[in-house]
Amino acid sequence: MDRLPFSLPDFLPGHVWLVGAGPGDPGLLSLLALHALTHADVIVYDALVDPRVMALANAGAILEFAGKRGGKPSAKQPDISNRLVILAREGNRVLRLKGGDPFVFGRGAEEALTLSKAAVPFRVVPGITSGIGGLAYAGIPATSRETNSAIAFVTGHDASGDVPDSVDWEHLAKAVPVLVFYMALKHLDRIASRLVAAGRRPDEPAAVVSRASTPQQRVVVGTLNDIALLAQREGIEPPALVVVGEVVRLRQELNWQITFS
Ligand code: SAH
């Protein structure tokens, strides 16, 4: 970091940096994320942040866990946001570290709004979202000219934990050739059925990518018809992404981790 031909912004006391840690592989961290890890006084991190990323934290930093673990409920969202305000007002350099990108299904917006309302200065450092980086580690491109000129990122469950009604399934199914679902493992059978009911072909390729870019990465490939069953049979565990669309076929040639690593 000392050898960079430019300087990174100072991480000032009393500021909060809302940072994406990427999908897992620490090599996918941004320079700003690494800078924050090595300069933070307090790091408030989620369950999705890879332990190899946490190992880069400076030895003096206080680590505060703010996620779900062992079936225990996660810290309540307003509690986390308020905690960030308190830590910043105490004069700490506060690193709020989240898996993937902080503004993609990560409640980063809610936390940033609380900071803004409390007039706590903050910076947002985007991370590689799992829906793109995780797919790439499975050899599945998010787009290719032959298959899709649009892509959608969709959450597999809403705040109540159910398949989201806020999604217009009919239009989504018809309009967007590649769909990437986050948090979709639990309701995968229902999601697949909804897509087929809305007009997608049951034999359309679909894949599940679990624990992408970690040593535990697993990929299951099937069709909309059988992907839920295959994932269950293979004992696939969260966190996992589901991708539906013709891009999945490209994996046959682009699975670089097996072919070229
Ligand atoms: N902000 C995160 C998403 C948080 S929502 C991001 O940008 O990636 C949590 C969901 O993200 C998980 O249920 C899963 O669908 C997905 N996810 C995060 N990390 C993942 C990983 N390493 N492998 C597969 N899916 C992952």
Side-chain angles (χ1 to χ4, degrees), residues 187-203:
H187 299 309
L188 184 47
D189 49 349
R190 285 167 63 199
I191 289 168
S193 310
R194 277 209 175 191
L195 291 174
V196 171
R200 300 294 278 240
R201 291 192 341 263
D203 64 352

Side-chain angles (χ1 to χ4, degrees), residues 140-228:
I140 302 171
T143 74
S144 95
R145 272 213 298 199
E146 280 69 46
T147 56
N148 61 313
S149 35
I151 182 167
F153 299 108
V154 188
T155 173
H157 67 68
D158 59 15
S160 72
D162 214 342
V163 178
D165 280 329
S166 54
V167 170
D168 181 341
W169 293 91
E170 296 288 322
H171 285 104
L172 184 73
K174 287 194 178 66
V176 189
V178 171
L179 307 171
V180 180
F181 291 93
Y182 292 63
M183 298 173 278
L185 205 52
K186 192 167 160 207
H187 299 309
L188 184 47
D189 49 349
R190 285 167 63 199
I191 289 168
S193 310
R194 277 209 175 191
L195 291 174
V196 171
R200 300 294 278 240
R201 291 192 341 263
D203 64 352
E204 182 166 350
V208 177
V209 185
S210 157
R211 300 188 181 166
S213 84
T214 76
Q216 292 80 36
Q217 174 172 312
R218 291 183 67 195
V219 183
V220 174
V221 178
T223 62
L224 267 183
N225 199 29
D226 63 13
I227 193 67

Side-chain angles (χ1 to χ4, degrees), residues 23 48 99-101 104-106 129-130 181-183 209-212 239-241:
L48 276 177
D101 181 276
V104 178
F105 300 132
T129 189
S130 56
F181 291 93
Y182 292 63
M183 298 173 278
V209 185
S210 157
R211 300 188 181 166
L241 297 149

Side-chain angles (χ1 to χ4, degrees), residues 82-93:
N82 294 334
R83 181 81 188 129
L84 298 177
V85 172
I86 290 167
L87 288 167
R89 287 192 176 147
E90 285 172 1
N92 294 294
R93 297 171 187 85

